[in-house]
Amino acid sequence: QVQLVESGGGLVQAGGSLRLSCAASGRTFSSRAMGWFRQAPGKEREFVAGINYSGTTTTYANSVKGRFTISRDNAKNTGYLQMDSLKLEDTALYYCASGSMLPNTRTYDYWGQGTQVTVSS
């Protein structure tokens, strides 16, 4: 069993930065890949970034490549999403998930409740 709690969301101006955290409980976090997703109102949940269990391999959606950085600290059972050069279209509810690093939501078996990111002009 893995429980995930996101934090770090908020209101930021376009061009600004935020760092999201995903705190995990359970002993298996360090042995599992994880990912970040987001969902804007009226839209489907979309993949943002994924990272393997050791943090040596990452993957990103084209829309965030070069602006967002996914990382993890297994000693702290925490994953991160550093978001720079934020755009209005990055506004969404951001979720972390455990079990995979792939874009398909069905490959993940644990999800957090989400943290809201709002980018203003």
Side-chain angles (χ1 to χ4, degrees):
Q1 186 82 8
V2 177
Q3 291 184 323
L4 305 172
V5 179
E6 303 95 337
S7 62
L11 176 64
V12 63
Q13 285 191 325
S17 298
L18 280 175
R19 188 194 197 201
L20 305 184
S21 297
C22 174
S25 64
R27 295 174 290 178
T28 61
F29 174 78
S30 61
S31 64
R32 299 166 60 87
M34 65 167 293
W36 286 92
F37 288 76
R38 66 187 182 187
Q39 188 167 17
K43 295 188 177 182
E44 292 187 354
R45 192 169 298 190
E46 65 171 354
F47 175 78
V48 175
I51 189 168
N52 70 338
Y53 75 97
S54 63
T56 56
T57 302
T58 58
T59 183
Y60 297 91
N62 287 334
S63 58
V64 307
K65 199 172 294 184
R67 300 189 297 121
F68 290 11
T69 304
I70 188 172
S71 62
R72 65 190 299 161
D73 185 339
N74 286 339
K76 296 182 179 179
N77 268 12
T78 303
Y80 303 98
L81 185 68
Q82 177 67 40
M83 305 186 297
D84 299 317
S85 302
L86 282 161
K87 303 177 180 180
L88 296 178
E89 53 264 41
D90 294 320
T91 294
L93 188 61
Y94 282 72
Y95 299 90
C96 65
S98 176
S100 176
M101 60 180 291
L102 301 176
N104 189 335
T105 58
R106 297 179 181 180
T107 60
Y108 297 80
D109 47 8
Y110 297 103
W111 293 81
Q113 293 300 306
T115 185
Q116 178 67 38
V117 171
T118 303
V119 183
S120 64
S121 59

